[in-house]
Amino acid sequence: MNNDWIAPSILSADFARLGQEVDDVLSAGADIIHFDVMDNHYVPNLTFGAPICQALKNYGITAPIDVHLMVSPVDDLIQQFAAAGATYITFHPEASSHVDRSLQLIRSLGCKAGLVLNPATPLSVLDYTLPYVDMVLLMSVNPGYGGQSFIPHTLDKITQTRRRIQQVDAHIRLEVDGGIKVDNIAAIKHAGADTFVAGSAIFNQPDYAAVIAAMRKQLAC
Ligand code: DX5
Ligand code: ZN
């Protein structure tokens, strides 16, 4: 399995000081920045577009950017975020008219590709796509908001997904997103995840280094 990555979601960051917030959370030990893109169409909320990703790159952020597209359609924004410096681009298969083509587009632009499965989305969406992704992102909340509670049945879905990844390519990352806290991250890892999105658990704390260190301690158990 891959080494563990902690991916703070900037949805819960102070948008008025976003560059500093990202700097701070990276200095505090985060591995990759999770970028929640919402269009108030695919999900009932609106966040930010590719110019904000570009602005962070211009600000000097060199860490990988993990773009989670909660938008429909997806292809235009795939192009924009690839041009703005995204590292990973993941999208919801329900939001694309041609999932295989959208995955190919991401890789053709030099980014790593991934699919996002909502809590009710079956693993069958991976049947003809798993060999063409670099990451599977399992939602442990319904997309649209930070600060929600982890949906418990996700643990079994993580284990089933890990089994499928092992059969295809162990290097595919298994990211989990939503409701991850210090007190549940160990169970999520033991179920089979290696990449952990945390928004409110990190940005709602005064000391980012302390909460990330606490998560790392749990991951080492
Ligand atoms: C929800 C987003 C998540 C969310 C995580 O639609 O995809 O990344 O920001 O926030 P927390 O960690 O607070 O549940
Ligand atoms: Zn997300």
Side-chain angles (χ1 to χ4, degrees), residues 9 11 34 36 38 68 70 139 143-147 177-179 197-200:
S9 159
L11 183 65
H34 187 75
D36 281 317
M38 301 179 185
H68 172 192
M70 288 163 275
M139 293 305 296
Y145 302 96
D177 184 4
V197 177
S200 53

Side-chain angles (χ1 to χ4, degrees), residues 79-149:
Q79 305 255 15
Q80 291 177 34
F81 273 96
T87 311
Y88 284 83
I89 301 177
T90 62
F91 65 92
H92 293 249
E94 299 91 340
S96 169
S97 312
H98 301 282
V99 173
D100 182 271
R101 185 180 292 143
S102 295
L103 288 170
Q104 286 184 48
L105 175 62
I106 294 170
R107 283 185 162 176
S108 74
L109 294 167
C111 297
K112 293 182 182 295
L115 286 178
V116 191
L117 277 65
N118 283 329
T121 302
L123 293 184
S124 56
V125 300
L126 301 176
D127 286 353
Y128 300 100
T129 54
L130 200 50
Y132 309 107
V133 305
D134 303 290
M135 176 187 275
V136 176
L137 169 48
L138 297 182
M139 293 305 296
S140 35
V141 296
N142 287 295
Y145 302 96
Q148 301 178 81
S149 299

Side-chain angles (χ1 to χ4, degrees), residues 15-122:
F15 288 178
R17 299 185 308 109
L18 194 56
Q20 187 60 58
E21 286 271 73
V22 170
D23 243 357
D24 292 349
V25 80
L26 288 167
S27 307
D31 298 289
I32 184 169
I33 298 300
H34 187 75
F35 214 90
D36 281 317
V37 184
M38 301 179 185
D39 65 359
N40 198 40
H41 172 233
Y42 180 67
V43 293
N45 201 353
L46 183 64
T47 57
F48 27 66
I52 304 299
C53 184
Q54 187 61 65
L56 288 172
K57 290 289 183 184
N58 297 346
Y59 180 80
I61 301 299
T62 54
I65 305 277
D66 165 30
V67 174
H68 172 192
L69 293 178
M70 288 163 275
V71 304
S72 179
V74 297
D75 289 358
D76 282 352
L77 283 173
I78 286 172
Q79 305 255 15
Q80 291 177 34
F81 273 96
T87 311
Y88 284 83
I89 301 177
T90 62
F91 65 92
H92 293 249
E94 299 91 340
S96 169
S97 312
H98 301 282
V99 173
D100 182 271
R101 185 180 292 143
S102 295
L103 288 170
Q104 286 184 48
L105 175 62
I106 294 170
R107 283 185 162 176
S108 74
L109 294 167
C111 297
K112 293 182 182 295
L115 286 178
V116 191
L117 277 65
N118 283 329
T121 302

